Amino acid sequence: MFGNLFAVRSPTLVERYNRALEHLTGRRTTLTEFHLDISGYSPEIGDEFGDDLYLNPNGCNRQFILLSTEQKTAPLLNAKFSTSRSILRRWMDENELQLFALTAKDAVAGELVNSVFSIDSPNDLLAIRRIEVEADTTASTVEDGKILQGKIDRFLSEEDAWWDDVLIAEMIEISKKTGDITRNPVVFTHNSFQQNNFYTSHFGGLYVFRDLEEAAVISVRKVDDVSDWDVEYVMDFTQRNDIATFLAVNNLVEPVTSARGRDVAAILQQKLDFIVVDTAASLGERFENPDRRELRRLARRNLKQLPKEYEGLYRLWQWARGQGDWPRISSEHPAYFYTLRASDHADRDLVNMLLAELAPLDVRQLFICHKEAFYRAYAGWSDTKKDYVAEYLASEYMMDKAGAREELFGHEPAMEEPEPTRHPRKRKPVGQPWGRRADDDDDDDDDDDYDDDDRDMIQRVGPWGAVKRR
């Protein structure tokens, strides 16, 4: 959980951090050693203050403290928005030279500012469209740099500025604090970022998709009244058909079996192993680093207790090995979301995050794609499952993180999948909910709108059902 944090041990850096912390929050830490994430949040200081949001008031406008550009490789802890780390990392990359020069002498303190100061309703979240990065040193070096740049421009453009002793004296005095800004610029660039599609932990977890022709919000918790939500569609995790169809019609997902050149059977086998371990551990079984033979024994012994997720994935695993027919797994089947991964698009990380939460027994994907959900789940596991998962992540995943991610989520030209012999499918116009409207009649005219393949799609992913239409 706290891997790859930036260590603060020198008195100089501690004092710089305290100056910035006091500048932002009015508080100081008494600790002489601690660790920082990319935003300058310290879990040790959070524990000291009894406040994990001491740099993130109301979980809304994330503040940050930078002591070094080395912080950019650290994770972001207690993230309320999935976009916060990527925005902060991109800003640091764009301004690395300025930050390197500034942090050589002082801490940089700032804030990711959006259009709201508190989040009291889902519509407050939906009002957030753009994030502005505001930052400066505790000595206001950046602000002074802007003032100095204005005086330099005036000096170069005004005809008699060479004789303006006051202007020259002011420039010299400010440059004592800023240094030579013509060689080492201190003005930040690329300070504005769009936030269209994102996940937020507010309200129990919401996935917001606005950068589509029809915007939608997917809620982790069950939602009853959405009449005042300012968005076209609202779904929750109880509406599996609706979510499946939304992902399908917007081309956001593809089957894991489409991975050309990947060992699909091995990927499915690992998902099956995680389910076996979860079932055995919940039944009180004791095991330590089980090998393939031990996992098969655990599966046989607890066969009747294995969940339906195992049954569906096992049939798909048999097909992948050429030992069975292509299984028809509808969105109502508990294994359905285990069979998907994000397709190749700009929001694939967000979609994989959503799929990880919809398929929580796949602990590897949960750990990779949704750290907060993983740690919440981990806290409730038995010691046996904790030991197994920790050992697996340390010995398998952490040894080759890039390779594992490429194996699971990399994209290549799709494989040909088995298809039924049918007529070419008619595509429904974008914006039309799948399935029939409540006022449709049961006469033969339906055949003009739906062919056999339309019904086949509905059978596989379901209608949108009770989603809210704005």
Side-chain angles (χ1 to χ4, degrees):
M1 183 184 297
F2 302 118
N4 203 35
L5 297 179
F6 177 76
V8 179
R9 296 190 176 94
S10 75
T12 300
L13 290 183
V14 171
E15 177 55 31
R16 287 181 187 175
Y17 185 87
N18 265 325
R19 287 203 305 269
L21 184 61
E22 189 171 22
H23 175 75
L24 291 174
T25 69
R27 309 167 80 174
R28 293 175 70 91
T29 178
T30 60
L31 301 180
T32 57
E33 292 186 6
F34 45 87
H35 296 79
L36 304 180
D37 71 0
I38 187 174
S39 73
Y41 164 78
S42 167
E44 295 102 327
I45 297 176
D47 186 59
E48 177 191 18
F49 291 167
D51 180 11
D52 288 334
L53 296 178
Y54 72 90
L55 280 183
N56 194 14
N58 300 318
C60 187
N61 293 278
R62 185 99 188 195
Q63 297 172 315
F64 60 87
I65 298 173
L66 304 180
L67 298 182
S68 169
T69 54
E70 293 179 23
Q71 283 176 238
K72 71 178 185 178
T73 60
L76 179 64
L77 303 177
N78 299 322
K80 292 294 185 181
F81 292 89
S82 62
T83 53
S84 296
R85 186 186 185 280
S86 62
I87 288 174
L88 193 52
R89 174 63 190 267
R90 285 164 57 194
W91 180 78
M92 293 176 71
D93 285 340
E94 294 287 350
N95 296 280
E96 186 160 12
L97 291 178
Q98 294 94 314
L99 290 171
F100 183 81
L102 291 171
T103 55
K105 297 186 294 183
D106 200 355
V108 173
E111 186 173 353
L112 303 183
V113 182
N114 57 50
S115 55
V116 298
F117 295 103
S118 63
I119 297 175
D120 301 315
S121 73
N123 283 338
D124 292 330
L125 289 170
L126 298 172
I128 301 173
R129 294 285 181 174
R130 182 171 290 276
I131 304 297
E132 303 287 340
V133 182
E134 296 181 357
D136 202 343
T137 66
T138 55
S140 300
T141 307
V142 175
E143 184 62 30
D144 288 340
K146 292 179 181 178
I147 296 173
L148 178 57
Q149 186 61 58
K151 292 182 181 298
I152 291 174
D153 293 341
R154 178 183 162 193
F155 179 79
L156 295 175
S157 61
E158 292 184 4
E159 185 176 353
D160 296 327
W162 286 89
W163 308 103
D164 191 335
D165 293 338
V166 175
L167 175 61
I168 295 173
E170 290 174 345
M171 291 168 58
I172 294 172
E173 192 62 29
I174 297 174
S175 66
K176 290 178 181 179
K177 295 186 290 183
T178 64
D180 184 356
I181 64 171
T182 61
R183 294 188 178 183
N184 299 299
V186 295
V187 178
F188 296 126
T189 60
H190 300 89
N191 297 319
S192 183
F193 299 87
Q194 284 287 115
Q195 179 164 287
N196 291 325
N197 303 335
F198 61 90
Y199 166 82
T200 175
S201 61
H202 290 281
F203 306 105
L206 298 176
Y207 292 85
V208 179
F209 294 89
R210 293 183 302 198
D211 196 18
L212 300 171
E213 292 198 32
E214 292 186 322
V217 172
I218 300 175
S219 172
V220 175
R221 294 180 181 175
K222 183 174 175 55
V223 181
D224 295 321
D225 183 13
V226 297
S227 58
D228 61 342
W229 289 37
D230 189 20
V231 66
E232 283 81 354
Y233 293 102
V234 179
M235 297 160 272
D236 62 54
F237 273 24
T238 65
Q239 298 168 284
R240 295 174 61 86
N241 283 358
D242 308 338
I243 296 173
T245 306
F246 169 76
L247 296 175
V249 298
N250 287 290
N251 297 317
L252 296 176
V253 294
E254 65 185 17
V256 295
T257 55
S258 66
R260 182 190 297 269
R262 309 296 185 200
D263 190 345
V264 174
I267 294 173
L268 295 171
Q269 179 67 69
Q270 190 60 69
K271 295 176 185 284
L272 292 169
D273 290 347
F274 291 142
I275 296 174
V276 169
V277 167
D278 177 75
T279 301
S282 65
L283 294 172
E285 293 261 16
R286 301 292 299 176
F287 48 84
E288 185 176 349
N289 301 330
D291 57 16
R292 176 65 52 216
R293 179 179 298 179
E294 175 69 6
L295 286 167
R296 284 199 300 266
R297 186 183 65 80
L298 289 171
R300 285 194 297 267
R301 190 160 65 199
N302 300 294
L303 186 60
K304 293 184 178 179
Q305 282 74 38
L306 289 172
K308 289 185 177 180
E309 288 92 335
Y310 186 90
E311 174 264 338
L313 287 175
Y314 185 79
R315 285 162 45 206
L316 189 60
W317 174 77
Q318 286 182 309
W319 170 84
R321 295 187 54 175
Q323 298 175 350
D325 296 330
W326 174 257
R328 304 305 297 257
I329 301 175
S330 75
S331 60
E332 292 291 348
H333 198 292
Y336 179 77
F337 290 109
Y338 289 83
T339 69
L340 301 177
R341 69 176 188 175
S343 54
D344 191 12
H345 53 78
D347 293 303
R348 57 183 175 271
D349 290 343
L350 179 63
V351 173
N352 280 326
M353 188 180 192
L354 170 63
L355 293 174
E357 201 161 6
L358 287 165
L361 294 179
D362 187 348
V363 294
R364 175 174 55 179
Q365 180 161 338
L366 196 64
F367 178 78
I368 295 172
C369 301
H370 202 327
K371 290 288 195 301
E372 298 296 326
F374 174 86
Y375 295 133
R376 288 197 303 268
Y378 184 90
W381 293 342
S382 66
D383 289 341
T384 300
K385 183 174 179 179
K386 285 181 179 179
D387 291 344
Y388 171 82
V389 173
E391 176 61 28
Y392 171 83
L393 292 174
S395 61
E396 299 290 336
Y397 171 68
M398 299 301 289
M399 295 297 290
D400 185 14
K401 293 191 291 185
R405 290 170 183 263
E406 178 66 21
E407 186 73 15
L408 294 172
F409 310 121
H411 291 280
E412 312 79 22
M415 293 173 61
E416 293 295 329
E417 296 180 18
E419 295 182 358
T421 303
R422 296 184 183 273
H423 298 293
R425 182 175 169 276
K426 296 179 183 177
R427 286 196 173 275
K428 296 196 66 59
V430 174
Q432 293 294 321
W434 289 91
R436 297 165 54 207
R437 298 192 308 272
D439 58 353
D440 279 347
D441 295 326
D442 289 329
D443 56 29
D444 292 338
D445 290 340
D446 290 340
D447 289 337
D448 294 335
D449 298 321
Y450 296 93
D451 61 20
D452 288 342
D453 282 317
D454 287 319
R455 294 192 182 91
D456 181 53
M457 171 63 82
I458 294 168
Q459 181 181 4
R460 286 192 291 117
V461 299
W464 278 28
V467 293
K468 174 223 173 187
R469 180 70 177 172
R470 185 178 172 185

